[in-house]
Amino acid sequence: MKKLFALLAFAGVANIAVAAEVVGDAKAAANKVSMCIGCHAIPGYKATFPEVYQVPMIGGQSEKYIVSALHAYKKGDRNHPSMRGIAASMSDQDIADVAAYYSQQK
């Protein structure tokens, strides 16, 4: 039983270490941001689904904030159908890359 707990503890630590190794690559995001540009790159753009609202410009936002927001959409902690669907389709590496890309924009 002790060996099982030790193995589970090691697996948990190894999983945390792997998650910590995800580093965003802004250049790799060049092919990933096409789904973002349609809304987030248009000054003053207002979306109409599921209701009319001002779409935020994300260029220049903190990388950490974008990662956090996308993970919250992916988990359902943030409620927006379009963003949830997009975030759900992204891997942790995709999220890190897109966040790196937009954090470098002005």
Side-chain angles (χ1 to χ4, degrees), residues 35 39 47-50 53 73 79-89:
M35 62 188 153
C39 296
T48 59
F49 179 80
Y53 68 98
Y73 282 119
N79 187 20
H80 188 276
S82 297
M83 285 302 304
R84 182 150 192 211
I86 290 168
S89 73

Side-chain angles (χ1 to χ4, degrees), residues 21-33 63 67 92-105:
E21 292 178 18
V22 178
V23 176
D25 179 357
K27 289 181 183 176
N31 295 324
K32 301 175 183 179
V33 296
E63 186 171 349
V67 167
D92 288 346
Q93 186 64 59
D94 293 338
I95 289 173
D97 293 345
V98 168
Y101 176 88
Y102 276 108
S103 71
Q104 295 177 7
Q105 304 299 305

Side-chain angles (χ1 to χ4, degrees), residues 28-87:
N31 295 324
K32 301 175 183 179
V33 296
S34 60
M35 62 188 153
C36 311
I37 291 170
C39 296
H40 291 286
I42 303 170
Y45 182 70
K46 292 182 182 178
T48 59
F49 179 80
E51 58 194 41
V52 177
Y53 68 98
Q54 185 77 32
V55 175
M57 298 296 287
I58 56 177
Q61 276 286 8
S62 152
E63 186 171 349
K64 187 175 181 179
Y65 171 79
I66 295 171
V67 167
S68 175
L70 287 171
H71 280 293
Y73 282 119
K74 189 173 186 171
K75 289 190 282 185
D77 293 340
R78 279 188 158 189
N79 187 20
H80 188 276
S82 297
M83 285 302 304
R84 182 150 192 211
I86 290 168

